[in-house]
Amino acid sequence: MSTVTHPPAGPGQAPPSDRTPGPPAAVGGGAGAKVFNGFSHLFLAVWAIMVVYPLLWVIMSALKTDSEVIRKPLSLFPETLQWDNFARAWTEGQIGSFFLNTVLVLTGSVFLTMLLGSMAAYVLARYEFPGNRLIYYMFLSGLTLPVYLAAVPLFKGVYNMGVTLPFLGPNSYFMLILVYVAWSLAFTVFFMHSFFRTLPNAIAEAAMVDGASHSRLFFSVMLPMAKPGLISIGIFNVLGQWNQWYLPTLLMQSVADEPKKQVISQGLIELSVNQGYRSDWSGLFAGVTMAMLPVLIVYIVFQRQVQSGLTAGVSK
Amino acid sequence: MRHGVGRFVTGFLALPVGLYLFYVVWPFLQAAGYSLTDWGGYSDRQQFVGLDNYLRLFSDELIRKAFWHNVFFLVTVPLFTIALALFLAFLLNVGGREDKAGIRGVFGSGLYKVIFFFPQVLSLVVIAVMWQQIYRADGQGLINGVLMKIGLVDENDPITFVYDPEPFLGVPAVLWWLLVIAVWSGAGFYMVLFSAAMQSIPKDIYEAAILDGAGRFHTFFRITLPLLRDTVSVAWVYLGFIALDMFALVYIMTPSQGGPNHASEIFASVINFNAFQRGQFGYACAIAVALAIFTILLAALQLRITRRERIEY
C-alpha cells in the first residue's frame, strides 16, 4: 500500500500535498485497491444472488403451470402467468383461512404481549418490593429453557382446561393468544426492563408532584418515553409470533369434526405434504409465496426499523 | 401512599406473572416431576421410578447419536455463520476504495444489507418448505437441476441431500445439508449486526492507523476485530441457542423426522420421538431436563469464556 510513502505528519502540520491532487491511484493503494474493490463487489453480489435467487425461483414457479414446473423447473420466466395457482392455494389449500387465523391471533397476542410485558418490566425496573428479584429471575430463566421440555405438560394443562372451559382448551384462538403472550413475556420483560431503568427519575418525580397516580404516570409519561424500545420489541414479537410453529403444532390440533383453526406455518407444512402427494407443485409454490411475500414487503418498507429493532434485540 | 404502591405493584404484576406461571413455569416443573416416573402419556398409570430414566440416558444409543449431532451443530453453526458474516461485513465496510476520507465501504452497501437480511424475516417453516424444493432429488430441484444442466451431476444419480445418511468427514451428509440452510439463513442478520458495530467504532482510530501506514487488512485484524469482540461473543451465544434448536429443519425436512435411519437425530427430535411415537412421556421428560441442564451449563460456560473487560470508546 502506498500510503506509507510520506513521513508521518506532526500535529498541526498541513497534510502532505500529494494527498489532495493527483490521480486516485496515488491516493489509495493503486491497482491493489481497485482489484480488492472489484473482488468485494463480486463476492457480495454472489451472496446476494444466493439469497435472492431461491426466493425469486419460488415466486416465479408459483406462476407456472404444473407441467411447466416439471418441464422447465429452472427457468425464471413462466410462459403465461398462472394466477389461478394462487386462487387454488388460497381456497383449496386453505391458505386464506390460515392467513386470517394468524392475523386474528397475532392482533390479540402482540397487543397483550406488549401491554403486559411492559407493565411487568416497568414495575420490576422502578419499584422496590420484596420478591422483585425473584420474579425478575423467574422471567429470565424462561430465556434459556427449551420449549420441548414443557411440551407434554403444557398440552396436558391446556387439554384439562378445555374440559371445563372450552375457550381455553386445544384448538381455540383465545388459548393460543394467551400461550403466545406467556412465552413471549420472558424476552419482552428482559428487554423492556433495561429500557425502563434508563428513563430519568426527575420526570417521574415531577409528574408525581403534579398529582399523577402510579398508573397514570406509567400510561401517559413512561410508556410514551419508552417508544423506541416498544417499537424494537414490537417488531421482534410480530416476527417471532408470525413465525411460530412448534406451539401451534402442539396445541392447535382440531378434535373430531371441529373446523381447523390452524395458523399459517402449520398450513404450510400441511400444504407441503398434501401437494406433494398430488404433485401440485405450482400450488405449493403459490402457498409458500403467499406466506412469504407479505412479510418481505413489510420488511422492505420498514427495513431500517426492522434491522435496527432486531439487532438491538440481540445486542442489548 | 405506601398502601397505594402495594396495590399498584400487585395490580400490574398479577396478570403477566399469572400467565407466565401457568403456561411456562408450571409445565417446566411438571416436566421435571414426570421425568421421575414411567408415565406413558396415554394412560393414567404413573409410577415413581426415581432416577431410572436418567440412568437409561447413558446407555441409549439414540441419545448418544443425538448428543454428538447437537455438538456438531453447536460448533459448526456459530463458526461458519460468524466467519461468513464477518467476512461479508468486512467487504461491505472496507471493501471500497481508499481516499482522503480513509477506507470506504463498497458502493451500494445499503442495498446489500437489505437483501442479505431477507432470510431473517422469513419463518423457519417457509425456509424449510422452500429448501425442500431446492433440495429435491430430481431434475426439478434447483440445485440438482442446475448441476445436471451443466453436466456435473448424472441424471440417474442425483444428489440426495437430506435423504443421504452416508458420512461426510465423519458426519452424516444430511447434517451438512441442514447446516447449509442454517448458515444461509443466519449470515445476513449477523452481517448487519457486525456492520452496525463496525460503524460505531470512531473514525479517528482508523485515521490514526492509516496515517501510521496500516493497510485495510491490518486495520481489520488489529482494530476492528478486537473492538468487535463483545458483539461477536453475543452472536456466539445466540447462535449456540439456534444450533440447539435445529428442530424445525429436522422435523420438516428429514424423512421420519430425524431420519433417514436416525441419521439426523438431535435432542429435540429424540424427545419428540419418545414422547409422541413411542409413548414414553416420562423418559422424554428426562431427556428434556437433561437438555435444559446442558443448555444452561453451556450458556454459563460461553458467558464465562467470552467475558472480558469491556473496551470503552
Side-chain angles (χ1 to χ4, degrees):
Chain A
M1 303 265 151
S2 68
T3 24
V4 215
T5 47
H6 45 74
Q13 260 179 294
S17 58
D18 66 334
R19 294 205 123 217
T20 1
V27 178
K34 258 197 193 137
V35 168
F36 186 64
N37 188 19
F39 169 77
S40 302
H41 268 296
L42 186 71
F43 196 90
L44 290 167
V46 166
W47 188 256
I49 289 170
M50 282 175 66
V51 170
V52 173
Y53 195 89
L55 304 179
L56 218 58
W57 176 66
V58 167
I59 296 169
M60 285 308 168
S61 301
L63 290 167
K64 296 176 183 173
T65 61
D66 265 323
S67 73
E68 203 185 342
V69 170
I70 295 167
R71 269 186 299 119
K72 295 189 198 162
L74 301 181
S75 83
L76 277 189
F77 304 101
E79 285 156 1
T80 49
L81 301 182
Q82 304 290 323
W83 295 106
D84 60 305
N85 290 337
F86 285 91
R88 205 168 59 245
W90 185 261
T91 49
E92 275 175 49
Q94 289 185 296
I95 291 292
S97 74
F98 296 144
F99 210 93
L100 293 178
N101 291 346
T102 316
V103 170
L104 187 73
V105 169
L106 242 59
T107 313
S109 63
V110 171
F111 174 75
L112 273 182
T113 306
M114 306 285 287
L115 181 69
L116 296 181
S118 30
M119 275 162 61
Y122 174 70
V123 168
L124 291 172
R126 300 191 70 93
Y127 289 82
E128 280 301 322
F129 57 91
N132 183 318
R133 298 312 283 167
L134 181 77
I135 296 177
Y136 180 63
Y137 283 124
M138 184 186 80
F139 277 118
L140 268 199
S141 63
L143 283 176
T144 51
L145 297 172
V147 59
Y148 318 109
L149 172 52
V152 175
L154 180 63
F155 178 77
K156 205 174 148 244
V158 167
Y159 183 84
N160 290 343
M161 277 294 263
V163 175
T164 40
L165 303 167
F167 67 98
L168 284 178
N171 201 29
S172 111
Y173 296 130
F174 195 62
M175 176 277 305
L176 194 63
I177 289 176
L178 294 184
V179 172
Y180 277 5
V181 173
W183 281 87
S184 311
L185 274 178
F187 192 74
T188 309
V189 168
F190 169 66
F191 186 85
M192 290 311 293
H193 187 269
S194 63
F195 223 90
F196 282 122
R197 283 222 104 132
T198 60
L199 295 184
N201 251 332
I203 295 177
E205 278 159 17
M208 291 302 259
V209 170
D210 285 349
S213 68
H214 288 287
S215 41
R216 173 90 208 248
L217 172 68
F218 173 71
F219 284 111
S220 23
V221 180
M222 292 311 215
L223 213 49
M225 284 208 302
K227 204 168 143 200
L230 287 174
I231 292 174
S232 284
I233 196 70
I235 293 168
F236 188 89
N237 280 325
V238 169
L239 279 180
Q241 294 179 7
W242 173 271
N243 293 340
Q244 209 20 284
W245 71 281
Y246 188 73
L247 288 172
T249 307
L250 182 72
L251 300 172
M252 298 300 272
Q253 305 169 359
S254 62
V255 210
D257 50 345
E258 247 184 294
K260 278 185 199 167
K261 294 182 180 170
Q262 298 180 326
V263 297
I264 189 104
S265 36
Q266 279 174 287
L268 217 53
I269 295 175
E270 200 164 281
L271 195 73
S272 142
V273 174
N274 289 345
Q275 308 303 76
Y277 283 133
R278 272 190 263 152
S279 301
D280 180 3
W281 302 112
S282 57
L284 173 60
F285 282 119
V288 179
T289 304
M290 281 189 292
M292 187 166 85
L293 270 189
V295 196
L296 274 184
I297 290 169
V298 171
Y299 162 65
I300 290 170
V301 174
F302 295 104
Q303 35 101 359
R304 213 167 283 274
Q305 287 90 331
V306 175
Q307 282 196 359
S308 60
L310 283 185
T311 45
V314 165
S315 53
K316 265 269 151 64
Chain B
M1 200 61 225
R2 209 42 242 158
H3 181 67
V5 173
R7 250 201 356 219
F8 167 73
V9 166
T10 335
F12 261 41
L13 280 179
L15 217 52
V17 170
L19 273 179
Y20 191 71
L21 282 175
F22 183 73
Y23 285 115
V24 181
V25 176
W26 180 228
F28 276 134
L29 294 179
Q30 276 181 301
Y34 289 141
S35 74
L36 303 174
T37 70
D38 66 349
W39 189 35
Y42 297 107
S43 67
D44 280 334
R45 205 186 68 88
Q46 276 177 36
Q47 215 159 27
F48 182 79
V49 294
L51 293 177
D52 277 9
N53 286 329
Y54 289 92
L55 295 176
R56 212 179 121 191
L57 285 176
F58 291 95
S59 55
D60 190 331
E61 188 57 36
L62 218 52
I63 294 284
R64 202 167 306 156
K65 246 185 197 170
F67 175 79
W68 287 113
H69 293 169
N70 266 14
V71 170
F72 168 76
F73 283 134
L74 215 52
V75 173
T76 54
V77 171
L79 191 71
F80 286 102
T81 311
I82 289 179
L84 183 63
L86 270 176
F87 186 60
L88 290 171
F90 168 63
L91 293 182
L92 208 57
N93 285 290
V94 301
R97 46 185 95 254
E98 294 171 49
D99 62 12
K100 277 172 290 181
I103 297 166
R104 288 173 181 231
V106 294
F107 174 75
S109 62
L111 183 66
Y112 283 129
K113 275 189 221 168
V114 173
I115 290 176
F116 291 173
F117 206 77
F118 276 171
Q120 193 59 36
V121 295
L122 299 177
S123 77
L124 264 178
V125 173
V126 167
I127 289 175
V129 173
M130 186 175 94
W131 277 82
Q132 264 182 339
Q133 299 307 311
I134 296 173
Y135 274 175
R136 278 187 59 164
D138 54 27
Q140 273 189 62
L142 189 56
I143 297 178
N144 268 321
V146 170
L147 292 179
M148 279 173 194
K149 211 150 234 169
I150 54 179
L152 281 180
V153 165
D154 181 14
E155 230 167 287
N156 302 315
D157 184 24
I159 307 172
T160 47
F161 297 106
V162 291
Y163 287 85
D164 187 359
E166 289 304 312
F168 176 72
L169 298 179
V171 180
V174 46
L175 295 182
W176 290 101
W177 293 117
L178 294 177
L179 175 70
V180 168
I181 306 176
V183 174
W184 178 86
S185 67
F189 174 80
Y190 290 95
M191 187 221 68
V192 170
L193 187 73
F194 295 149
S195 196
M198 282 179 191
Q199 267 153 19
S200 69
I201 299 172
K203 278 263 183 299
D204 37 334
I205 299 185
Y206 286 116
E207 276 162 19
I210 290 170
L211 223 55
D212 287 347
R216 59 181 105 212
F217 291 100
H218 265 100
T219 37
F220 182 76
F221 285 107
R222 296 284 167 76
I223 301 175
T224 314
L225 213 49
L227 287 177
L228 237 56
R229 218 194 133 87
D230 265 358
T231 318
V232 172
S233 65
V234 168
W236 200 280
V237 173
Y238 265 78
L239 282 162
F241 283 119
I242 291 173
L244 282 176
D245 196 25
M246 293 286 282
F247 186 48
L249 295 181
V250 170
Y251 183 90
I252 301 167
M253 296 192 68
T254 65
S256 66
Q257 299 159 6
N261 197 18
H262 296 296
S264 63
E265 217 64 79
I266 52 176
F267 265 136
S269 66
V270 176
I271 296 172
N272 197 63
F273 176 67
N274 277 301
F276 298 109
Q277 287 178 39
R278 267 190 183 164
Q280 301 190 346
F281 276 31
Y283 185 51
C285 284
I287 304 171
V289 172
L291 172 63
I293 294 170
F294 183 59
T295 311
I296 291 169
L297 283 181
L298 210 73
L301 187 75
Q302 278 178 317
L303 287 176
R304 252 227 113 79
I305 293 174
T306 53
R307 196 173 58 188
R308 222 176 100 179
E309 262 178 70
R310 232 165 226 284
I311 302 164
E312 300 280 348
Y313 50 82

